Amino acid sequence: MKFRTEIEPINGSFSIDHSDRIVLLGSCFSDSIGEQLRLDGFDVTVNPMGPLYNPMSLARVFDLKSLLVVCDGNNYHCLDFASRYVAPELDQLEAMVHADLDSLRQAINRATTIIVTFGSARVYRNYALQAIVGNCHRLPASDFAVEMLSVDQIVDRWCSLLPPDKKVIFTVSPIRYVADGLVTNSLSKAILRLAVDQITAHTHAEYFPSFEILNDDLRDYRFYASDLKHPSDQAVEYIYERFASTYFSPATCDEARQRRRIAMQNRHIPNFNNR
């Protein structure tokens, strides 16, 4: 007797091992998977500019030419990235952003694998800048228009952007943006999923089904955190196990277990991962 429908075996077209240098970008789900990779001893760079949820703001990481900056009368805010990018002087803000952005781009240049997690197709456009922002910095809602990206907008932006010499994995975050409303959240995720399908059809990138694993395989509120939006720790571990079984060889899994055991001992944390 079966009580759930499991995602079928996922066939990755390449493997990942401890010689890889991995950059993870996107929603805070990237932070969760990045932490699992870090515990397993992989060389990872995870969202150094803060989480970015929409595909257009994520794309700016690769080819940003000028910053989206506004002044609230007291401080300057860089709306491209996390709310910590704020300073009383413009040159101070620019120096702060460019230092971190240069480090990230160096990590991307040296990376062998890039993992991109799209979070939402719902975006905020700043009226003064007439541009889609990555973070609203808690500025007044009246400063922004809310829009929904189209599949074509996302596909056109990303198909020419991917580095040809990198292994690239796309995923759609399973995090539920319930503040937008469940209907809007469903529409947003559908747009992202269709866009990724077209991107992977026309590039060398591939898709890992994080969204489907939580919503169709686990499919139960007990696999969500208490906010009923984010995956629980148990769900993140399960999704990561599926990721490992897709991209790690048996030898890499063995090495990952050994490295995690050492990391847990160093942190004095029980190792519950039986992978």
Side-chain angles (χ1 to χ4, degrees), residues 103-175:
S103 295
L104 172 56
R105 286 180 171 166
Q106 290 175 25
I108 291 173
N109 287 337
R110 65 186 286 270
T112 58
T113 304
I114 298 175
I115 302 173
V116 179
T117 303
F118 289 164
S120 178
R122 191 171 186 261
V123 299
Y124 293 84
R125 184 181 295 274
N126 180 266
Y127 285 117
L129 299 171
Q130 277 303 296
I132 293 170
V133 302
N135 192 299
C136 294
H137 283 228
R138 299 185 179 88
L139 295 173
S142 57
D143 291 354
F144 303 91
V146 181
E147 303 173 6
M148 188 71 77
L149 296 175
S150 71
V151 172
D152 287 344
Q153 281 178 293
I154 300 169
V155 173
D156 290 346
R157 185 74 173 93
W158 276 89
C159 273
S160 60
L161 193 65
L162 301 180
D165 59 334
K166 315 290 186 188
K167 296 177 281 191
V168 181
I169 302 168
F170 281 93
T171 191
V172 171
S173 172
I175 295 171

Side-chain angles (χ1 to χ4, degrees), residues 11-187:
N11 297 314
S13 63
F14 52 79
S15 62
I16 295 172
D17 61 34
H18 286 87
S19 67
D20 279 283
R21 297 177 296 276
I22 306 169
V23 172
L24 297 97
L25 299 169
S27 82
C28 48
F29 182 70
S30 292
D31 294 323
S32 298
I33 296 302
E35 177 61 15
Q36 296 293 320
L37 286 164
R38 183 177 287 114
L39 285 171
D40 278 356
F42 289 90
D43 179 350
V44 294
T45 299
V46 186
N47 281 340
M49 312 301 293
L52 291 168
Y53 300 93
N54 79 76
M56 307 309 272
S57 294
L58 265 167
R60 283 175 60 79
V61 166
F62 290 87
D63 64 357
L64 183 146
K65 302 295 189 299
S66 60
L67 302 179
L68 299 175
V69 176
V70 297
C71 183
D72 65 4
N74 297 306
N75 292 297
Y76 289 89
H77 299 259
C78 176
L79 302 186
D80 290 289
F81 306 118
S83 57
R84 67 175 177 271
Y85 292 105
V86 57
E89 301 295 336
L90 180 58
D91 57 353
Q92 181 183 352
L93 174 63
E94 290 177 336
M96 184 192 316
V97 174
H98 284 299
D100 290 349
L101 189 58
D102 288 346
S103 295
L104 172 56
R105 286 180 171 166
Q106 290 175 25
I108 291 173
N109 287 337
R110 65 186 286 270
T112 58
T113 304
I114 298 175
I115 302 173
V116 179
T117 303
F118 289 164
S120 178
R122 191 171 186 261
V123 299
Y124 293 84
R125 184 181 295 274
N126 180 266
Y127 285 117
L129 299 171
Q130 277 303 296
I132 293 170
V133 302
N135 192 299
C136 294
H137 283 228
R138 299 185 179 88
L139 295 173
S142 57
D143 291 354
F144 303 91
V146 181
E147 303 173 6
M148 188 71 77
L149 296 175
S150 71
V151 172
D152 287 344
Q153 281 178 293
I154 300 169
V155 173
D156 290 346
R157 185 74 173 93
W158 276 89
C159 273
S160 60
L161 193 65
L162 301 180
D165 59 334
K166 315 290 186 188
K167 296 177 281 191
V168 181
I169 302 168
F170 281 93
T171 191
V172 171
S173 172
I175 295 171
R176 306 162 72 232
Y177 297 100
V178 296
D180 298 339
L182 292 177
V183 173
T184 300
N185 178 71
S186 294
L187 174 61

